[in-house]
Amino acid sequence: MALTRKGQATRERILDAATELIARQGVAGTSTEDVRKAAGIGGSQLYHYFDSKQALIRAVITRQAEAPLVPGQPLMGALDSFDALQAWADAAVESQKPGRGRGDCTLASLAGELGPTDDETRQDLCNAFERWQSLLNDGLRAMRERGDLRPDADLDDLAMALLTALQGGTLLSQTLRTTQPMRASMNAALAYIHSFAP
Amino acid sequence: MALTRKGQATRERILDAATELIARQGVAGTSTEDVRKAAGIGGSQLYHYFDSKQALIRAVITRQAEAPLVPGQPLMGALDSFDALQAWADAAVESQKPGRGRGDCTLASLAGELGPTDDETRQDLCNAFERWQSLLNDGLRAMRERGDLRPDADLDDLAMALLTALQGGTLLSQTLRTTQPMRASMNAALAYIHSFAP
């Protein structure tokens, strides 16, 4: 379905409302009627854009996959140096400060809630994680080519270590409501990357 | 409420059924009626033990807090040496092999699903995570006292790095259905611990 510019703006507004509600209430606690009201659109209009709740959730995930790697932060430059990785880690810790709220619905919580049940949605989550992993991979490859990392550094392993640190840190920081888990997970992941310096 | 031995057995059977259903279907996808049927008990009997779905979920979490740190593995000894930590990490990777199923309902997926909504349940999850962190802490303290770790090693930081690695690795391994995320997160966490050897 090709959308007019106005149609695209409405679709974005619906996705913004859905993302915020899911962040606050979880997927199960969010109805399409909640989303419709929050987006301020008329009765049947939502179904013009998303023909089911599942379609709406999948669109939220797909959009999150395009989002910067640290929720609530402006898109960061290429993560292709130790300094850039440290700035990324610091932003991840900052994003977990109490009072910042959940801010965004994270893939970590979506994965926790949706993982077991719905296979199509799980596939969207896989694609999102793989996209993030490949962004991290690109930066690490540049570092290896520049000689910042040893030739034997396994880039898939290092990129996945950064991604699991972000997800594990997010999950525990949001549950415990302190930045300590994110700080610890990022310390560990960055120390691991540093251990592959020549 | 003091339970007879038979009553305790029934309560355990209900918790077993609830844990398995939640692992397969998520919290939102599991009704108390599903649990009652799976446990094979009569109509009003469930409410004799748990007066609401929330009370049931909280009991599942509290029991998970007592469980071994790696789901599906027999309780491991004290994690108080590099060898013991390596065996723990290997067991965590093993537990994510495809075909092992989710096996158990993990705190990671419960935290993802419940985090945003319910404050009492979040507090139970905090207690569970803190109990696990304190088990890890005990082992690391023994290592530091023995001289396996430097005196300046921050045990809270190291224990949390292990816990976030377990949770982040679980979440991504279950979503992507490969062991690679758990392997990468455990590699990073153990390398971090090793970096504090004298």
Side-chain angles (χ1 to χ4, degrees):
Chain A
M1 174 179 65
L3 292 174
T4 61
R5 185 181 299 196
K6 187 161 170 247
Q8 276 178 342
T10 307
R11 187 176 185 279
E12 283 299 304
R13 201 161 79 239
I14 295 169
L15 286 176
D16 286 343
T19 304
E20 203 196 313
L21 284 169
I22 291 169
R24 272 193 287 136
Q25 305 169 190
V27 173
T30 300
S31 69
T32 50
E33 181 62 14
D34 295 338
V35 173
R36 190 190 66 70
K37 280 186 196 155
I41 58 171
S44 62
Q45 215 182 344
L46 183 74
Y47 289 95
H48 180 65
Y49 295 94
F50 303 99
D51 62 10
S52 65
K53 180 173 170 182
Q54 194 204 10
L56 177 60
I57 304 300
R58 295 184 63 186
V60 167
I61 292 171
T62 304
R63 201 174 62 155
Q64 289 294 100
E66 310 291 327
L69 275 163
V70 175
Q73 297 293 321
L75 187 57
M76 310 194 65
L79 296 171
D80 60 358
S81 68
F82 285 118
D83 283 351
L85 285 171
Q86 186 63 55
W88 174 75
D90 291 343
V93 172
E94 186 68 24
S95 74
Q96 297 301 323
K97 287 213 168 135
R100 297 284 307 254
R102 289 169 60 96
D104 217 335
C105 76
T106 61
L107 292 179
S109 55
L110 283 166
E113 181 162 0
L114 297 171
T117 41
D118 169 350
D119 227 49
E120 279 185 327
T121 313
R122 190 185 66 79
Q123 194 53 55
D124 291 335
L125 277 170
C126 290
N127 296 343
F129 282 135
E130 279 160 8
R131 192 184 133 81
W132 285 12
Q133 193 193 3
S134 112
L135 283 175
L136 291 163
N137 228 312
D138 291 345
L140 293 165
R141 180 168 305 104
M143 290 173 72
R144 195 173 63 180
E145 280 166 8
R146 206 188 300 123
D148 291 349
L149 296 173
R150 294 198 308 267
D152 68 324
D154 179 337
L155 302 183
D156 284 341
D157 182 61
L158 296 188
M160 190 55 95
L162 290 167
L163 192 52
T164 53
L166 181 67
Q167 301 298 322
T170 300
L171 199 133
L172 273 147
S173 275
Q174 288 186 346
T175 303
L176 300 177
R177 298 199 179 152
T178 75
T179 56
Q180 196 228 336
M182 185 67 97
R183 197 179 305 276
S185 68
M186 286 294 159
N187 281 345
L190 288 197
Y192 188 50
I193 312 288
H194 272 282
S195 75
F196 286 89
Chain B
M1 174 179 64
L3 292 174
T4 61
R5 186 180 300 193
K6 188 163 167 245
Q8 277 177 341
T10 306
R11 187 176 186 279
E12 283 299 303
R13 202 160 77 239
I14 295 169
L15 286 175
D16 287 342
T19 304
E20 203 196 310
L21 284 169
I22 291 168
R24 271 192 286 137
Q25 304 169 190
V27 173
T30 300
S31 69
T32 51
E33 181 61 15
D34 295 338
V35 174
R36 189 190 66 69
K37 280 187 196 155
I41 59 171
S44 63
Q45 214 183 343
L46 183 73
Y47 289 94
H48 180 66
Y49 296 95
F50 303 100
D51 62 11
S52 65
K53 180 173 169 182
Q54 192 203 12
L56 177 60
I57 303 300
R58 296 184 63 186
V60 167
I61 291 170
T62 305
R63 201 174 61 154
Q64 288 296 101
E66 310 290 327
L69 275 164
V70 176
Q73 296 293 322
L75 188 55
M76 310 195 68
L79 296 171
D80 59 358
S81 68
F82 286 118
D83 283 350
L85 285 171
Q86 187 62 56
W88 175 75
D90 291 343
V93 172
E94 185 68 24
S95 75
Q96 297 301 323
K97 287 214 167 133
R100 298 283 307 252
R102 289 168 60 98
D104 217 336
C105 76
T106 60
L107 292 180
S109 55
L110 283 166
E113 182 163 359
L114 296 171
T117 41
D118 168 352
D119 226 50
E120 279 185 327
T121 313
R122 190 185 67 80
Q123 193 53 55
D124 291 335
L125 276 170
C126 290
N127 296 343
F129 282 135
E130 278 160 7
R131 193 185 133 81
W132 285 12
Q133 192 192 4
S134 112
L135 283 176
L136 291 164
N137 227 312
D138 290 347
L140 294 165
R141 179 168 305 104
M143 289 173 73
R144 194 174 64 179
E145 281 167 6
R146 208 189 297 125
D148 291 349
L149 295 173
R150 295 198 308 267
D152 68 325
D154 178 336
L155 301 184
D156 284 342
D157 182 60
L158 296 187
M160 191 55 95
L162 290 167
L163 193 51
T164 53
L166 181 68
Q167 302 299 321
T170 300
L171 200 132
L172 273 146
S173 276
Q174 288 186 346
T175 303
L176 300 178
R177 298 200 179 152
T178 75
T179 56
Q180 196 228 337
M182 186 66 96
R183 198 180 304 276
S185 67
M186 286 292 158
N187 281 345
L190 288 198
Y192 187 52
I193 312 288
H194 272 282
S195 74
F196 286 90

